[in-house]
Amino acid sequence: MNYLDRNEFNFEPSQKVVEAIRNFDPKTLCFYTRIYDQGKKSVVSVRLSEIYGVPEEQVLLAYGGEDILKNAIHYYLMKDPSSESHPSELEDGRVARGLGAAKGDNKKILIPEFSWWYYNKVAAECYGTFEMYPLHEQEDTFAYDVDEVIDYTNRIHPRMLLLASPNNPTGNSLTPEEIGRIMEHIPDDTMVLIDEAYASFITSDTDYIAPLVNKYKNLIISRTLSKFYGLPGLRCGFGFIGAGHDHFVSYINKYLGYNRFSEAVALAALDSDDHYRHVADEMEWGRQLYKKALGDKPGFKVYKSVANFILIKYPTAIKERLQKALAEQDYKIKFMTDKGLEDCLRITLGRKEQTQTVVDTILRCL
Ligand SMILES: Cc1ncc(COP(=O)(O)O)c(C=O)c1O
């Protein structure tokens, strides 16, 4: 099967990752890690601290980026002792906009429109009252309006603000300057979570992260080994948080350590940037092909992408034919169902021959 529907990795892992798996001593798993005797979470948080220049105490580790998001949202909307909030059960167990918060609690979370559906799910799990701020379609891209995000946040004054850069599925991103501007102009008791699951595809520059988390205590930046490092099956997410959140850091931390096999593979991946950068560069070929082959066809719009997927508006009259033709060749792409994007496809950027097959199949269905 050719899975081009979930932004996974259709290339080879790095040689170092392969060797780390081959050379892993199974006896390592007979013992817990002892790095916590040194007051550290994991060999991986130590390495990430070195790479990103953020103190180890401010490095977060979790079961994928999803788990960083889930822990942070659950904690800050439900458990944070600095807020007045307490879980308030709804009688029918249902959560919807405007419901769920007891008087005086701040369980509000602001989420981008057209974003990863999981944000809403997690907010709903902990009875959050979520609102969406708009993303604006411009020519061949979507964009945040930074001033609007600032205004919205000041008006709503949520406990959390979620930003995604690059955003899934629209593929647009924020610059470090824009992040700084947002942080500077919003209430400092709003916890900001920036989901940077796809950020390494834009640039290998990570120098902006340490100054931001040093300056803004209310900031979490979440990343993962699932996308750029191509290891979604490993379930390794990591993040960085402003100083002074010891209670949350302890909440998300694993008392007896992390999966030692995953740690070994994660270290090898973090040491393989050249390999993964080369793969990321190859994806440009796919972006160009989609643009060239479909960009000027009636009913199509190929949006600009800075991540490992591309969003394409298509004439929905071909939907069933296209679904059938792809299934016959064992291909899966994502037919969007989100409100406002029902006429879009989101396609993972895979190997050249996979991109060619998808393009040929779409053209054949017209
Ligand atoms: C925007 C976004 N954030 C985070 C994730 C989480 O990925 P993982 O839990 O594998 O790190 C995904 C996965 O598709 C995603 O699309």
Side-chain angles (χ1 to χ4, degrees):
M1 182 57 86
N2 292 273
Y3 292 114
L4 302 178
D5 57 337
R6 284 183 141 184
N7 308 337
E8 293 156 309
F9 190 74
N10 286 272
F11 302 85
E12 293 297 318
S14 79
Q15 200 49 42
K16 284 183 182 162
V17 164
V18 173
E19 277 162 23
I21 294 169
R22 277 206 193 112
N23 300 335
F24 185 77
D25 178 0
K27 285 200 179 140
T28 310
L29 299 182
C30 300
F31 298 92
Y32 298 118
T33 176
R34 291 289 156 147
I35 195 153
Y36 50 65
D37 291 344
Q38 298 162 35
K40 312 282 186 209
K41 297 176 199 78
S42 155
V43 285
V44 178
S45 53
V46 170
R47 183 77 191 108
L48 287 165
S49 163
E50 289 161 9
I51 298 173
Y52 285 80
V54 174
E56 197 272 342
E57 312 85 75
Q58 290 167 245
V59 177
L60 309 171
L61 291 179
Y63 197 78
E66 68 164 292
D67 200 33
I68 302 255
L69 297 168
K70 186 167 194 152
N71 272 280
I73 295 173
H74 275 237
Y75 180 87
Y76 286 104
L77 294 194
M78 290 177 80
K79 298 182 172 28
D80 179 8
S82 71
S83 86
E84 300 168 70
S85 68
H86 302 285
S88 50
E89 283 289 342
L90 287 176
E91 273 173 25
D92 61 359
R94 199 172 52 87
V95 176
R97 186 179 301 204
L99 295 177
K103 199 164 177 285
D105 287 359
N106 187 352
K107 294 160 82 65
K108 288 182 248 168
I109 177 165
L110 258 181
I111 294 174
E113 193 186 9
F114 309 134
S115 52
W116 192 30
W117 67 276
Y118 187 71
Y119 304 152
N120 292 4
K121 177 185 179 312
V122 176
E125 276 169 10
C126 53
Y127 308 107
T129 53
F130 54 89
E131 283 211 28
M132 303 208 183
Y133 59 86
L135 283 183
H136 299 280
E137 187 169 351
Q138 302 170 342
E139 300 252 317
D140 63 349
T141 186
F142 284 80
Y144 289 99
D145 177 335
V146 169
D147 292 323
E148 188 179 44
V149 172
I150 292 170
D151 286 351
Y152 224 107
T153 309
N154 282 301
R155 191 151 34 86
I156 308 277
H157 198 156
R159 183 68 187 107
M160 290 192 88
L161 165 65
L162 234 136
L163 299 158
S165 176
N167 187 43
N168 171 15
T170 53
N172 60 294
S173 62
L174 286 162
T175 63
E177 293 70 32
E178 287 173 324
I179 296 172
R181 192 145 68 84
I182 292 172
M183 295 307 301
E184 200 56 43
H185 292 99
I186 60 161
D188 58 13
D189 58 355
T190 291
M191 247 356 248
V192 178
L193 197 159
I194 308 182
D195 183 354
E196 289 200 344
Y198 300 92
S200 303
F201 289 106
I202 311 177
T203 169
S204 35
D205 176 19
T206 54
D207 288 352
Y208 66 93
I209 289 181
L212 282 173
V213 287
N214 281 340
K215 184 161 181 195
Y216 301 104
K217 292 197 169 26
N218 53 330
L219 178 61
I220 301 174
I221 295 185
S222 171
R223 290 193 161 213
T224 179
L225 294 187
S226 297
K227 305 300 177 182
F228 179 80
Y229 293 100
L231 293 168
L234 194 69
R235 310 309 302 126
C236 264
F238 60 96
F240 307 97
I241 187 166
H245 290 275
D246 301 353
H247 201 271
F248 171 64
V249 173
S250 158
Y251 170 78
I252 192 173
N253 191 28
K254 301 291 169 272
Y255 167 60
L256 288 174
Y258 290 80
N259 178 325
R260 301 189 73 186
F261 179 70
S262 302
E263 285 179 328
V265 180
L267 288 182
L270 290 169
D271 199 19
S272 304
D273 267 31
D274 288 352
H275 172 81
Y276 293 108
R277 180 60 52 203
H278 181 73
V279 172
D281 289 347
E282 271 192 31
M283 290 176 189
E284 186 53 23
W285 185 90
R287 292 188 189 99
Q288 295 301 332
L289 186 67
Y290 283 117
K291 183 96 195 149
K292 204 165 84 204
L294 304 174
D296 56 3
K297 292 272 176 297
F300 281 87
K301 189 192 251 189
V302 178
Y303 292 98
K304 214 165 119 200
S305 149
V306 289
N308 68 340
F309 56 84
I310 191 157
L311 189 72
I312 301 177
K313 192 175 273 187
Y314 76 112
T316 49
I318 68 165
K319 181 172 179 179
E320 278 183 26
R321 226 175 313 149
L322 181 57
Q323 278 174 327
K324 191 161 170 284
L326 288 167
E328 279 166 6
Q329 297 170 93
D330 286 337
Y331 271 69
K332 265 184 188 289
I333 63 171
K334 171 104 175 157
F335 289 82
M336 300 298 296
T337 51
D338 305 34
K339 197 165 166 293
L341 297 178
E342 299 92 337
D343 55 354
C344 286
L345 309 168
R346 193 197 62 201
I347 309 171
T348 307
L349 295 166
R351 298 188 304 277
K352 286 183 181 178
E353 74 275 13
Q354 293 177 310
T355 305
Q356 192 67 61
T357 301
V358 175
V359 164
D360 292 346
T361 308
I362 294 173
L363 291 174
R364 241 188 3 257
C365 288
L366 294 180

